[in-house]
Amino acid sequence: APSNSIRLQVINRFETVLNAIVAGDDYFFTPLKVAKKFLEHEDAKNGPLYMIFSEGEGQIEVTGHETYDETFHISVNGVIFDRSDPVAKIEKALRDVRKAINDDSISSNANTLGTMCIQVRIDDPPDLEYFEDWATFEQRFRVQISGNFGEL
């Protein structure tokens, strides 16, 4: 079987990192589900849901005869259920996601975002939406990777 593209490896790493979040000293919540697909919002009654999507916009810059740097975006969409203080809960869930991705992106351990990517950044604030019983966020991460055209 062929190897996964660098892009897919990075997307899969986002999923692994978010699945590793555990409430305690470093995080507010343990996510109920993390997936690279849409999840039913009703499930958020039992804990935060995080959905990971790649986006089509970006840029490829040729850096050599067979090499390139690519910039693309990954969005993490979060859903929480809360009637009493959805603002606080969505901000805590957002902070958990940002912290987990940031910590992994500055790590020098093997197979982390820090070693797979040139850079992972947050360029824009999240999109937030509030409803009667639940709230959502979408946080975009700008990812920059290097690769070989033979590995696309």
Side-chain angles (χ1 to χ4, degrees), residues 86-97:
V87 172
K89 194 166 185 180
I90 200 75
E91 290 292 338
K92 288 176 180 179
L94 175 61
R95 181 256 180 216
D96 283 355
V97 167

Side-chain angles (χ1 to χ4, degrees), residues 10-48:
V10 170
I11 295 163
N12 288 342
R13 182 65 189 173
F14 266 66
E15 184 177 30
T16 299
V17 168
L18 297 181
N19 266 313
I21 293 174
V22 177
D25 290 341
D26 291 330
Y27 298 103
F28 291 104
F29 307 114
T30 300
L32 178 67
K33 292 183 184 176
V34 177
K36 296 177 298 198
K37 64 179 184 176
F38 283 101
L39 298 171
E40 292 295 325
H41 286 40
E42 285 298 313
D43 290 342
K45 290 179 180 178
N46 300 310

Side-chain angles (χ1 to χ4, degrees), residues 9-149:
Q9 291 174 41
V10 170
I11 295 163
N12 288 342
R13 182 65 189 173
F14 266 66
E15 184 177 30
T16 299
V17 168
L18 297 181
N19 266 313
I21 293 174
V22 177
D25 290 341
D26 291 330
Y27 298 103
F28 291 104
F29 307 114
T30 300
L32 178 67
K33 292 183 184 176
V34 177
K36 296 177 298 198
K37 64 179 184 176
F38 283 101
L39 298 171
E40 292 295 325
H41 286 40
E42 285 298 313
D43 290 342
K45 290 179 180 178
N46 300 310
L49 307 176
Y50 301 137
M51 298 166 275
I52 303 161
F53 302 101
S54 59
E55 297 186 11
E57 62 185 62
Q59 179 179 356
I60 295 178
E61 180 182 338
V62 176
T63 57
H65 179 65
E66 286 292 320
T67 59
Y68 66 92
D69 289 347
E70 181 175 4
T71 302
F72 66 101
H73 292 90
I74 295 174
S75 67
V76 176
N77 296 18
V79 180
I80 59 96
F81 180 87
D82 192 302
R83 288 189 175 140
S84 61
D85 191 354
V87 172
K89 194 166 185 180
I90 200 75
E91 290 292 338
K92 288 176 180 179
L94 175 61
R95 181 256 180 216
D96 283 355
V97 167
R98 287 175 161 184
K99 177 177 177 24
I101 297 300
N102 183 68
D103 287 355
D104 201 67
S105 71
I106 60 175
S107 173
S108 59
N109 294 334
N111 300 315
T112 62
L113 293 170
T115 57
M116 298 169 76
C117 304
I118 296 172
Q119 187 175 69
V120 178
R121 296 181 53 117
I122 298 171
D123 287 337
D124 298 307
D127 290 329
L128 301 170
E129 289 190 69
Y130 296 94
F131 304 92
E132 184 178 345
D133 295 335
W134 46 281
T136 66
F137 70 80
E138 178 183 5
Q139 179 64 69
R140 294 178 77 213
F141 294 87
R142 183 169 54 92
V143 177
Q144 188 176 19
I145 57 175
S146 287
N148 182 300
F149 284 112

